[in-house]
Amino acid sequence: MDWIRMMMDTYPYYIILILAAFVYELGFARKLPILKKIFIYILLAVGCVPLTILKALGLPMIEAMLVAAGLLLFVRFRRPTDTRENEGMR
């Protein structure tokens, strides 16, 4: 457990960037051409700088992004089940 805390304190920008990309892909991504997708990820990388600054100030940014990723994973896995059950009722 200590190595997780050490990684979160040593490389917060990279962890935030990976979690932000994961949350984007789970909740907001659409089919885009490759150049637009590269542009989106560049903007995502720039947007992670303020989040890293907030992490340095003591706010739990990584933990909040883990919660967001967990909720989006739950919704992603739950949605097909709800759709199949609703189709059976029709």
Side-chain angles (χ1 to χ4, degrees):
M1 198 66 168
D2 290 333
W3 67 273
I4 295 174
R5 182 63 56 188
M6 184 188 71
M7 293 297 284
M8 287 172 49
D9 291 337
T10 308
Y11 306 108
Y13 176 77
Y14 300 111
I15 294 172
I16 289 172
L17 181 62
I18 290 168
L19 287 171
F22 188 66
V23 167
Y24 169 73
E25 284 294 324
L26 278 176
F28 307 103
R30 294 187 178 148
K31 282 274 198 185
L32 294 173
I34 190 72
L35 288 176
K36 286 183 181 179
K37 197 164 197 163
I38 290 171
F39 182 69
I40 292 291
Y41 280 105
I42 289 171
L43 288 177
L44 191 68
V46 170
C48 287
V49 172
L51 295 177
T52 306
I53 292 170
L54 291 174
K55 167 75 173 125
L57 293 174
L59 294 174
M61 298 310 299
I62 295 175
E63 293 85 352
M65 296 202 59
L66 285 170
V67 169
L71 288 172
L72 286 170
L73 273 173
F74 177 75
V75 168
R76 175 66 56 114
F77 287 126
R78 183 73 177 140
R79 186 178 300 153
T81 306
D82 289 341
T83 305
R84 277 186 260 133
E85 288 175 3
N86 289 340
E87 287 176 2
M89 292 180 160
R90 292 180 190 178

